[in-house]
Amino acid sequence: MADTEPNAKRVKIAANATSAMESPGNGEISSSRIQKSRSWEDNHGVDDDAVREERIRRFIEDQQLLASQSIPTAATPYVMKTPKLPDAQRMKILVTGGAGFVGSHLVDKVMMQGHEVIVLDNFFTGNKKNIEHWVHHPNFSLVRHDVTQPILLEVDQIYHLACPASPPHYQYNPVKTIKTSTMGTLNMLGLAKRVKARMLLASTSEIYGDPTVHPQPESYWGNVNTLGPRACYDEGKRVAETMMYAYKNQNDVEVRVARIFNTFGPRMHPNDGRVVSNFIIQALQDKDITIYGDGSQTRSFQYVSDLVEGLVRLMNGDYDGPVNLGNPDEYSIKDFAEQIQVMTKSNSEIIFLPKVADDPSQREPDITTARRELKWKPEVHVKEGLRKAIDYFQSVLDHHGEIVPTGPEASKPKGK
C-alpha cells in the first residue's frame, strides 16, 4: 500500500470539490452555486470568467484523482491505486457477494488491476463498509440484488461468492441457503452462458464433510451427512459444483471451482460464530474462550490475501478442475485458542462445552494441485495473519464497544 497521508488530504479536497460542484440530481455543475459565487465575485471586483475556469480546471483534476484510487474510509483507512488499462485489456468483472469478507478483498485486488467491477450483494452477511472506499470510482458499480433472482448484465468474468459461509448464519435459514447455492448458481451459469463469460464458483472444504482421508485431495468424494444441520451448505455446494461441470460439458461454459478452506483476516464479521473471530473477540474482552468439544479437532487457517491471490490465479489460468485453496498448517482447536490467548495477552479462561453436531474431526487441504497448476501456495504465516486480525478486531471493539460472540446455534447476522 502507498503512503496514505498526502493522498488522504488530496482525496478530501477532491470530495469537497465534488460536493461543491455537482448537483445531487444529475451530476452537472450547480447553477445556483455558480450564481452565488458570481454575485460575490462581482461585488468584490473578481474576474468572473477566470475564477470559473480555475474552479472547473480544479474540479476536473479532482475527478481524475478520484478515478485513479480508492478513498480512505474508517473501515479501510488507506489508499489503493488503480492503473488505467487499455480497452483491449480491461475486463468487466462481476463479483457476487462482493460486499462480504472475502468478496470485498477480491474486489480490491481486481480494482487495483485496473478492471471494471460490478458487486452484486443482498447484504445478508455483507456490509457496505467493506466496499465504500470504491463508491466514487468510475470503474466500480454496486447493485443490491439477490442471486436467487435472475439478472441481465454484460460481463467477461463472474466470481460467484454469494452465500453465507459461517454455520450459524447458513443454518439460520437453511432453505434460503440451499436456494442460494442452487438457484443462485443456476442464474449465474445462465448469465455466463449467455454472455460467454468465464465463471468461478467459491466452493468449500465442507463438501468433504467429516473426512476419513487426511489431508483431503480434490479426488476425495467426502463423508457428508445429507440430513444434518450443516447439510444445507454442504450439499448445496456439492450440487453447485455438479451444475458447473454440467454447464461446461453440455454448453461449453468456461468454469473454475475453488474449494476454500478456513480463511481469516480483516473485515470478518465479528458475530459470524467462527473459530478465529470468536476466539479473538473473547480474548480481547477477557471473556471465556469457548471450545465446543475437547479441542482435539483440527483446522487449517489461511490469511485472506493468500486466498484472493489463489482465486485470481485460478480464474485466469487454464486449469478447470476443482482446486483446494487453503493453508496445510494444521492446528488443534485447543492449541489455536492458546495461541490467541498468548498473542492478545488475555486473562481469559478456556472452557469446554458440548461438541456441535457434525463438527468435522479434522480438516487439512492437500494443495498439490494448486502448487502444480497455479504455482500457488500460502505466503502469510498464521501468526502474522493473526496479528493483523487481532488489530482489526481491536479497532472494531474500540468503535462499537462490547461484542457478544455468536454461539453455534443458528443465528441471523447482527450489525457491526
Side-chain angles (χ1 to χ4, degrees), residues 217-219 313-314 317-325 366-378:
E218 290 86 354
S219 57
R313 291 193 188 196
L314 177 59
D318 295 327
Y319 187 74
D320 62 3
V323 179
N324 289 338
L325 294 177
D366 180 335
I367 61 170
T368 302
T369 301
R371 289 178 182 270
R372 182 184 68 246
E373 301 294 340
L374 310 182
K375 304 298 185 288
W376 176 90
K377 62 181 177 64

Side-chain angles (χ1 to χ4, degrees), residues 21 32 54 57 63 77 92 113 118 127 158 164 178 211 278-279 328 344 347 353 379 381-382 392:
M21 298 288 287
S32 62
E54 173 62 17
R57 184 190 66 80
Q63 291 299 300
K92 293 181 180 179
Q113 291 177 337
I118 302 171
N127 196 307
I158 302 170
I178 295 169
N278 267 14
F279 284 2
T344 55
N347 294 318
L353 300 177
E379 299 293 341
H381 192 275
V382 172
Y392 162 72

